[in-house]
Every structure is written in structure tokens, then in C-alpha cells.
Amino acid sequence: MHLDLVIRPLTAVLRRRTAQHVPLPIQRLQTRGLHLAPPFLLEDYTPRYMTLSSRDAAMKRSAAYSHLRNCNLCPRLCGVNRYETTGMCLIGERAKVNVIAPHFGEEPCVQGHHGSGSVFFSMCNLRCVFCQNHDIAHQRNGRDLTPEELGDWYVKLQEVGNVHNINLITPEHVVPQVTLSILHARDNGLKVPIIYNTSAYDSLASLELLDGLVDIYLPDFKIWEPATSKRLLKADDYAATARESIKAMHSQVGDLCFTGDGIAKSGVLIRHLVMPGYEAEGAEIMRFLAFEVSRDCFVNIMEQYRPDAYVGRTKRGSKGDQKRYAEINRAVSNEEISTVRKAAEAAGLWRFCDPPKHDGFNL
């Protein structure tokens, strides 16, 4: 059809409707909303380590080597020379890695469609009696890697696995090695965000070293009361340390933000594993997040607790009828989960990792 035959009738219609002041019918396009508040939507994202100056990178390298010679980064403050011996974590100058692989067991906004490039470090600076990954965190199984070898694996995960991010799991005791590995990977082509997946038992000095290298902090705030953390985590200062570390994490990267594809790129995502009988402590954690961190915190209230590690084992010297940590030797109830969730909502939290009510990721 000749273009003139289309334009002339359309022009006539426009003239008539303008004279009659009749609005033209507007055809509404069918679009799917992002279900994402604009302040948390990013058009694009560049990982923080890529904007680090060469001077700042050199200073971080120097600080990392210094901390290895006098290990005082994690709250245990062992003070050992890790080139010669080990502290409580039993890890020396090289990080011991149990698993490196694309992982599909994380939050949807973390794993996406291609998986999260997960690096599971062996050992930990806590001794949680219920540890859900005790075969990794309580045992020195795996392969010793230099920071350079570790950084090369990050690049392999990016290039071969096409992962959305590099997810460092239980890295609190190997922060100097992690720092050096990120800087090495940056110089060798790494371009995806870094996730620091932690128990929240981190010192402020440790987080200062990571500032500018980590894009997403993923702390798991476990317990509120010192007596509980002393019994179950073997660290009576856990809650106080976690409170300060989470506030420091938030001051660095802010609330969790996403690009339009639904993948988290920057911010803090806070987990809380609901424990049987400790829902009141979970409620206190929710109030802390709302009142002292941000009501816009993105929170994952997890319900998958199961008795594991040392929970439910027979006490030494008993005749078999006495179990260790019997108070948490059961699954968590729906009522306990609901108590924590209601406390979170009452405190003003509203961004939860729930199943989406639309065809796509929950943001």
C-alpha cells in the first residue's frame, strides 16, 4: 500500500476529532509490572571492586598480608602468625575450599537462572552445635588454595559457569585471603558482583578491609541472647558482634537493589533461621533490623531448621535415653515461624523473600 493512502485518511480523522474535541482512543499495551519499588531498581551496575583505585587496592593488599602475620581480624582475636601456625579456625595462610560450583540453593534473586558461583570454605570461627553444613564448617576437608588460585576459580565460574555472582560462603576466618583473591580476579577479568555470605560474626576491622570489594552482604543473624549464643554457638559475644557488623555492612552498601532482570546486585540481604523454642529471640532480631538498621531491609525468614551436627546425639556416659541439646532436637513449628514473621511486620519490615505472586522472581 502506498504511504500516501495511509497518511491522508489518518490526517482527516485527526482534523475532525480536533474540531470536535474528541479524544483519540488509546490502545493500552499489555505489560507486566516489575513488582519492584523504584528506589531499589538499578538500570545497570558496576561491581565496587572495579572502581577501586590502584592506590586503594595496594593498601588493601598490604593490610591483608599484615593481618595474616598477626591474625586479629575475626572477633576471636587469636593473634597468631598464620604463615607458621593456626588459631581457632585451624586454617593457615591458604584457604581450604570444600566446593566450588554454580549453586541453585540460594534465594531466587541470588541464584537466578544460571546459578550463584558458590565457594564453600572449610571450617568457621563459630562452633554452632546445630550447624546445617557441619560436614564443611566443622571439618578440614577440601583443597588448599593460594589467593591467586582462588581468584582464578572466580573467573572460571564467570566464564564457564556463566554465574550471576561469586558467592563466598563462610569466609569470616579467611578475609585476608579473600581480599587478595578478589583483587587478583579483578586484574584477570572478573566482572560479576561479590557476595559475602556470613554468619555475621565479623569484626569491624574485617569489614573495613572488605569495603569496596563486596557488593552484597548476606549475613545470617542467628541468636539474640548472650546465654543462648554461648550454649549453641560457643560465642557469648555473638549477638553484640552481629549487631555492629550488620550496621556496618548496611552503611557500606545500603538496602538490597536489583536490575530489571530480577537479580540482586548490591545491598544487604539478611537471613534468620527460626530455631525451635527461640522465636522470641527471632522477634527481637526483627525489631533490631527495623529500628536500628532500616525498615527497607530485605529479610529471609527461613524455616528449614533440622536437628543436625551435635543435636540429638547421645550424651556421654548416659544409657542412651539422654540426648544432647534436647531443647532444639525437633523441627520448628508453623506457630514459631508465624511469631517471627508477625513481629517483623509489626516492626515495619515489608521486604521478605516470599514466593512471588506473579510469574517471575520475588523482589
Side-chain angles (χ1 to χ4, degrees), residues 168-188:
L168 308 173
I169 301 173
T170 320
E172 303 91 325
H173 57 299
V174 288
V175 168
Q177 297 92 325
V178 161
T179 297
L180 296 169
S181 68
I182 295 172
L183 293 172
H184 174 80
R186 181 191 75 154
D187 295 342
N188 286 272

Side-chain angles (χ1 to χ4, degrees), residues 11 13 27 31 56 69 72 87 105 125 128 133 156 169 179 208 258 278 280:
T11 303
V13 170
Q27 183 180 3
T31 59
D56 288 339
R69 288 189 292 271
N72 53 11
N125 63 351
C128 303
N133 289 325
K156 289 178 185 177
I169 301 173
T179 297
E208 181 182 357
F258 308 79
Y278 291 100

Side-chain angles (χ1 to χ4, degrees), residues 2-16:
H2 196 279
L3 188 60
D4 222 24
L5 298 177
V6 177
I7 292 178
R8 283 180 179 176
L10 180 59
T11 303
V13 170
L14 286 171
R15 286 173 179 169
R16 286 198 302 270

Side-chain angles (χ1 to χ4, degrees), residues 279-340:
E279 66 275 17
E281 297 195 23
E284 288 292 341
I285 290 171
M286 296 302 121
R287 285 188 280 270
F288 159 77
L289 295 177
F291 300 147
E292 298 192 40
V293 183
S294 169
R295 283 187 170 84
D296 295 326
C297 283
F298 194 98
V299 181
N300 184 5
I301 299 174
M302 302 186 295
E303 57 189 60
Q304 64 262 39
Y305 171 84
R306 67 185 188 280
D308 211 334
Y310 302 99
V311 177
R313 291 188 182 183
T314 302
K315 288 184 177 180
R316 293 179 181 177
S318 70
K319 296 181 180 180
D321 56 344
Q322 294 184 1
K323 303 295 183 181
R324 300 183 68 185
Y325 308 102
E327 72 273 18
I328 57 172
N329 189 26
R330 62 173 176 84
V332 67
S333 69
N334 290 332
E335 290 75 16
E336 290 165 332
I337 297 167
S338 178
T339 296
V340 178

Side-chain angles (χ1 to χ4, degrees), residues 72 77-78 132 150 155 164 176 184 194 198 215 252 260 271 273 283 295 307 315 326 330 348:
N72 53 11
L77 299 175
C78 297
Q132 311 290 280
L150 191 55
V155 178
H164 297 288
H184 174 80
I194 298 289
T198 171
D215 301 283
Q252 287 185 21
R271 291 172 172 169
L273 179 65
R295 283 187 170 84
K315 288 184 177 180
R330 62 173 176 84

